[in-house]
Amino acid sequence: MTPPLPPAEELRILDMELRHLDARRVQLLARRAQLIALLRQPSPPAFPPAGPVPRQPETTAPRVQNVLLVLGGVLLTVAAIAFTLVSWGHLGIAGRSVVLAAVTAAVLGAPVPLLKRGLRSTAETLAGLGLALTVLDAYALHEVALTTVDGTGYAAVATALLAGMWWGYGKGLGELKGLEGLGSPRIPFLAALGAAQLPLLLGAVAVDASSYTTVAALLLTAAFDTAVALRTSARSLRIAAAVGMYGMGGWGVVTAGVLSWTATGPGAAVRAAALLACAAAIALYAAGRTPRRGLATGAAVTGGLLLVAALGGIPRALLPGVWTVPGYLACGVGLLAAVRGPLPDHVRRGAVRASAAVQVLAVAWALPLAVVALLGPVAWTGRVWSGAPSDLRAAVTVWAPWPADAAARTLVLVAAAAVLAGAARATTAWRDRAVAGAVVLVWATALVLPAVLRLPYAAGLSVQGLTAVAVLAVAGYARRTPTFLASVLLSLLTAAGLVLLSLASRGATLTVLAVLTGIFAGAAAHRRLTPVCASASLAGAALLACAVGAAADRSPAHTALLVLVVPAAAALLAARVPRAAVPVEATGAVAGLLAIGLAVTDAPVLALVLALCGVIAAGTAVRADRRWAGYVAAALFVSATWVRLGSWGVGTPEAYTLPVTVPALVVGFVRRRRAPETSSWTAYGPGLSATLVPSLTAAWADADWPRPLLLGTAALVLTLLGARHRLQAPLLLGGSVLVLDALHELAPYLVQLAGLFPRWLPPALAGLLLLALGATYEQRIRDARRIREALGRMR
């Protein structure tokens, strides 16, 4: 009997068998899918066709029929026009008119039997030809019996009559066909709609009407097109009516807007407003009857904007020009009253969007005032401590002009802020954005108000500081992200503008920087404000240190020592408050760079500043998550050493390179002790290269013997150490430097020796060398491979 297998071995065999079964199942499923795909493909014919494959037609019969019918109708129409205007001159216009009327009646009646036989396309083509002939009949009637009637007035009446006749003709043919509505034929209805665009416009031109009457004719035509587009069920007729509605309505709205904008009196403004109100009524009617929500909302927005343009044009004509935008804004805000009425949702939504668009445009018109108040003080950077101006308006208009309508712009900001505040209370969907927008507009108002009121310079600075504190408080108590972000950004902008304003006076600069530093330091106690406010406080402290040094008449290099307090404080604060570590350390780094830039003019002080920065970076590197700062500290210490040596006039390159090489070798030795798999190039290569390469360069340019001797000795020691410990980096670097140093020392003798031999000797020696290498090629390759393997076994 076979003894039972151990459980582990039996489990291994079971797993192997299951894997084989799974693989076989996958193969069978794949083959099954291939067979199903083959069965679903159409089977090829058993025998190929004996003759050539017949060509497929390039077009269909209905298309050919339509092309032929259209071409025939066009040719017949051209012939009729030529007949009426040019040919058969011996008959006279009256005779031609009689003949043309008879032909027209025959052509218009021809579609009747064709429709009964089901020849719809042919009947519609002949119907179109008959409509064209009616136009020629109207022309002939004017030339025969109504020659004294004005041509434009006659055209207006004729187009109206033709539109009605064509519409009735189309309905008659449709009823004959047994169709409901306006389904077929389409040409009479489209022609009637096209002719209906002209009567009112031509009538206004015929009576030499004013611009207002002409615009009214355009808008009435657009209203007719709107009614047709909303009430008809035929897609082609609905599209044609929409084209007429947008074309005639757009023409009328643009002209009415121009009339409203150029109106100089109340009468003209009222008439233009009536026209715009008529256009608004058409758009709102379309919004209420359109079933599609997107089109309905767009029409409602258009109607709301037209209504605002209509109502705002009246105060524009009555009030001074500076109150034009506030007048339109008042109308836009009043449009929100329609939201509370019994209106459909899409109409209400369109009214709100129209009002919002008006408010956005008004705020965009008012924002340049805030830009001047915010960026105007930048000019004080070129006039630091030149003297305080008389008032805040003079302080912000050093290089930017002050707008003449500043009061109206301020009123617009206040009104828009009030509307957003009301919207935040009335709605929940847009509450966060509305509150953030209201905060921004209130801040802009507070920013420009001191300059608008021409407050004294000191009072204006106080108001700006209170504004920064208020916005910072809003950020501290804000629960929503948009409001918080907006408030934080506004507080920083206000503080920056306040610092720029304070540059006019020494006392103002010191006071403002000290106060802002304290304010942001206190606000940093708030958990959400800690990263931003701590960084802002450190930045203010750095600027305050620069201002104190300048006020004390200290040189920039000595002021840099005072600025270094900020990076030290940033390092300590980052260790105590981890959540603000990154922005605080970034601010400290910028302050350190500022200190280095200030000390550039004094080399000894610069060396001291670099060394102190290295101490701060080394202290930061003590933290476990900031080990990389150790490299920065090393670079700063090395830079400090170099600067100090340069200030002492030291020209020996080893004095600059050995302070880098020794720590680098120590770090590499420690790393190999902790991680033996580390390559010698990684551990010792950078440190050795830092000294060997500059020393070799100096030795080749040195005509004396001590430097090459010392360099050769050091390279020999490195080579022996590399061979002893089987390390690539010391062996190759030391050997290469040793060979190059020896060549430098032997170069004069080699030159003298070369002059003693004939010129043919070097080529001959080269040839012999090549022959020797060729003779022992395989052995040389084997030796080179052994050398490479030996080097490869080194680390």
PDB file of all heavy atoms in Angstrom, residues 484-497:
ATOM      1  N   PHE A 484     -13.343  82.225   3.575  1.00  0.00           N
ATOM      2  CA  PHE A 484     -12.060  82.179   4.272  1.00  0.00           C
ATOM      3  C   PHE A 484     -10.914  82.546   3.333  1.00  0.00           C
ATOM      4  O   PHE A 484     -10.067  83.391   3.662  1.00  0.00           O
ATOM      5  CB  PHE A 484     -11.855  80.790   4.861  1.00  0.00           C
ATOM      6  CG  PHE A 484     -10.484  80.576   5.442  1.00  0.00           C
ATOM      7  CD1 PHE A 484     -10.145  81.113   6.662  1.00  0.00           C
ATOM      8  CD2 PHE A 484      -9.535  79.841   4.743  1.00  0.00           C
ATOM      9  CE1 PHE A 484      -8.877  80.929   7.197  1.00  0.00           C
ATOM     10  CE2 PHE A 484      -8.273  79.650   5.269  1.00  0.00           C
ATOM     11  CZ  PHE A 484      -7.939  80.188   6.498  1.00  0.00           C
ATOM     12  N   LEU A 485     -10.872  81.920   2.164  1.00  0.00           N
ATOM     13  CA  LEU A 485      -9.781  82.193   1.219  1.00  0.00           C
ATOM     14  C   LEU A 485      -9.803  83.641   0.753  1.00  0.00           C
ATOM     15  O   LEU A 485      -8.753  84.303   0.671  1.00  0.00           O
ATOM     16  CB  LEU A 485      -9.884  81.244   0.029  1.00  0.00           C
ATOM     17  CG  LEU A 485      -9.678  79.756   0.334  1.00  0.00           C
ATOM     18  CD1 LEU A 485      -9.861  78.927  -0.922  1.00  0.00           C
ATOM     19  CD2 LEU A 485      -8.301  79.516   0.928  1.00  0.00           C
ATOM     20  N   ALA A 486     -10.998  84.151   0.442  1.00  0.00           N
ATOM     21  CA  ALA A 486     -11.096  85.539  -0.004  1.00  0.00           C
ATOM     22  C   ALA A 486     -10.642  86.499   1.090  1.00  0.00           C
ATOM     23  O   ALA A 486      -9.908  87.468   0.826  1.00  0.00           O
ATOM     24  CB  ALA A 486     -12.535  85.850  -0.428  1.00  0.00           C
ATOM     25  N   SER A 487     -11.031  86.242   2.319  1.00  0.00           N
ATOM     26  CA  SER A 487     -10.670  87.141   3.413  1.00  0.00           C
ATOM     27  C   SER A 487      -9.170  87.123   3.683  1.00  0.00           C
ATOM     28  O   SER A 487      -8.550  88.176   3.910  1.00  0.00           O
ATOM     29  CB  SER A 487     -11.443  86.748   4.673  1.00  0.00           C
ATOM     30  OG  SER A 487     -12.831  86.784   4.449  1.00  0.00           O
ATOM     31  N   VAL A 488      -8.573  85.943   3.653  1.00  0.00           N
ATOM     32  CA  VAL A 488      -7.125  85.855   3.881  1.00  0.00           C
ATOM     33  C   VAL A 488      -6.365  86.607   2.797  1.00  0.00           C
ATOM     34  O   VAL A 488      -5.431  87.383   3.075  1.00  0.00           O
ATOM     35  CB  VAL A 488      -6.696  84.381   3.940  1.00  0.00           C
ATOM     36  CG1 VAL A 488      -5.183  84.257   3.908  1.00  0.00           C
ATOM     37  CG2 VAL A 488      -7.235  83.727   5.198  1.00  0.00           C
ATOM     38  N   LEU A 489      -6.750  86.390   1.544  1.00  0.00           N
ATOM     39  CA  LEU A 489      -6.066  87.081   0.448  1.00  0.00           C
ATOM     40  C   LEU A 489      -6.251  88.592   0.548  1.00  0.00           C
ATOM     41  O   LEU A 489      -5.297  89.363   0.338  1.00  0.00           O
ATOM     42  CB  LEU A 489      -6.619  86.567  -0.890  1.00  0.00           C
ATOM     43  CG  LEU A 489      -6.030  87.200  -2.152  1.00  0.00           C
ATOM     44  CD1 LEU A 489      -4.534  86.970  -2.216  1.00  0.00           C
ATOM     45  CD2 LEU A 489      -6.704  86.656  -3.400  1.00  0.00           C
ATOM     46  N   LEU A 490      -7.442  89.036   0.904  1.00  0.00           N
ATOM     47  CA  LEU A 490      -7.695  90.475   1.024  1.00  0.00           C
ATOM     48  C   LEU A 490      -6.901  91.082   2.175  1.00  0.00           C
ATOM     49  O   LEU A 490      -6.436  92.226   2.080  1.00  0.00           O
ATOM     50  CB  LEU A 490      -9.187  90.729   1.207  1.00  0.00           C
ATOM     51  CG  LEU A 490     -10.085  90.354   0.026  1.00  0.00           C
ATOM     52  CD1 LEU A 490     -11.535  90.627   0.352  1.00  0.00           C
ATOM     53  CD2 LEU A 490      -9.672  91.097  -1.228  1.00  0.00           C
ATOM     54  N   SER A 491      -6.743  90.348   3.264  1.00  0.00           N
ATOM     55  CA  SER A 491      -5.956  90.879   4.378  1.00  0.00           C
ATOM     56  C   SER A 491      -4.496  91.071   3.977  1.00  0.00           C
ATOM     57  O   SER A 491      -3.869  92.089   4.320  1.00  0.00           O
ATOM     58  CB  SER A 491      -6.056  89.934   5.574  1.00  0.00           C
ATOM     59  OG  SER A 491      -5.465  88.675   5.270  1.00  0.00           O
ATOM     60  N   LEU A 492      -3.952  90.132   3.228  1.00  0.00           N
ATOM     61  CA  LEU A 492      -2.571  90.275   2.767  1.00  0.00           C
ATOM     62  C   LEU A 492      -2.427  91.438   1.789  1.00  0.00           C
ATOM     63  O   LEU A 492      -1.447  92.203   1.853  1.00  0.00           O
ATOM     64  CB  LEU A 492      -2.107  88.971   2.122  1.00  0.00           C
ATOM     65  CG  LEU A 492      -2.045  87.748   3.051  1.00  0.00           C
ATOM     66  CD1 LEU A 492      -1.619  86.516   2.265  1.00  0.00           C
ATOM     67  CD2 LEU A 492      -1.112  87.989   4.214  1.00  0.00           C
ATOM     68  N   LEU A 493      -3.393  91.582   0.879  1.00  0.00           N
ATOM     69  CA  LEU A 493      -3.341  92.702  -0.060  1.00  0.00           C
ATOM     70  C   LEU A 493      -3.450  94.041   0.669  1.00  0.00           C
ATOM     71  O   LEU A 493      -2.738  95.001   0.342  1.00  0.00           O
ATOM     72  CB  LEU A 493      -4.473  92.566  -1.089  1.00  0.00           C
ATOM     73  CG  LEU A 493      -4.338  91.445  -2.115  1.00  0.00           C
ATOM     74  CD1 LEU A 493      -5.563  91.387  -3.015  1.00  0.00           C
ATOM     75  CD2 LEU A 493      -3.092  91.631  -2.961  1.00  0.00           C
ATOM     76  N   THR A 494      -4.322  94.105   1.656  1.00  0.00           N
ATOM     77  CA  THR A 494      -4.465  95.349   2.405  1.00  0.00           C
ATOM     78  C   THR A 494      -3.186  95.681   3.154  1.00  0.00           C
ATOM     79  O   THR A 494      -2.750  96.847   3.194  1.00  0.00           O
ATOM     80  CB  THR A 494      -5.637  95.236   3.388  1.00  0.00           C
ATOM     81  OG1 THR A 494      -6.796  94.800   2.689  1.00  0.00           O
ATOM     82  CG2 THR A 494      -5.928  96.569   4.041  1.00  0.00           C
ATOM     83  N   ALA A 495      -2.576  94.675   3.767  1.00  0.00           N
ATOM     84  CA  ALA A 495      -1.322  94.911   4.477  1.00  0.00           C
ATOM     85  C   ALA A 495      -0.219  95.375   3.529  1.00  0.00           C
ATOM     86  O   ALA A 495       0.542  96.306   3.851  1.00  0.00           O
ATOM     87  CB  ALA A 495      -0.901  93.634   5.204  1.00  0.00           C
ATOM     88  N   ALA A 496      -0.135  94.762   2.357  1.00  0.00           N
ATOM     89  CA  ALA A 496       0.879  95.186   1.385  1.00  0.00           C
ATOM     90  C   ALA A 496       0.644  96.620   0.930  1.00  0.00           C
ATOM     91  O   ALA A 496       1.579  97.428   0.840  1.00  0.00           O
ATOM     92  CB  ALA A 496       0.871  94.234   0.190  1.00  0.00           C
ATOM     93  N   GLY A 497      -0.609  96.972   0.638  1.00  0.00           N
ATOM     94  CA  GLY A 497      -0.903  98.348   0.253  1.00  0.00           C
ATOM     95  C   GLY A 497      -0.619  99.333   1.362  1.00  0.00           C
ATOM     96  O   GLY A 497      -0.135 100.454   1.116  1.00  0.00           O
TER      97      GLY A 497
END
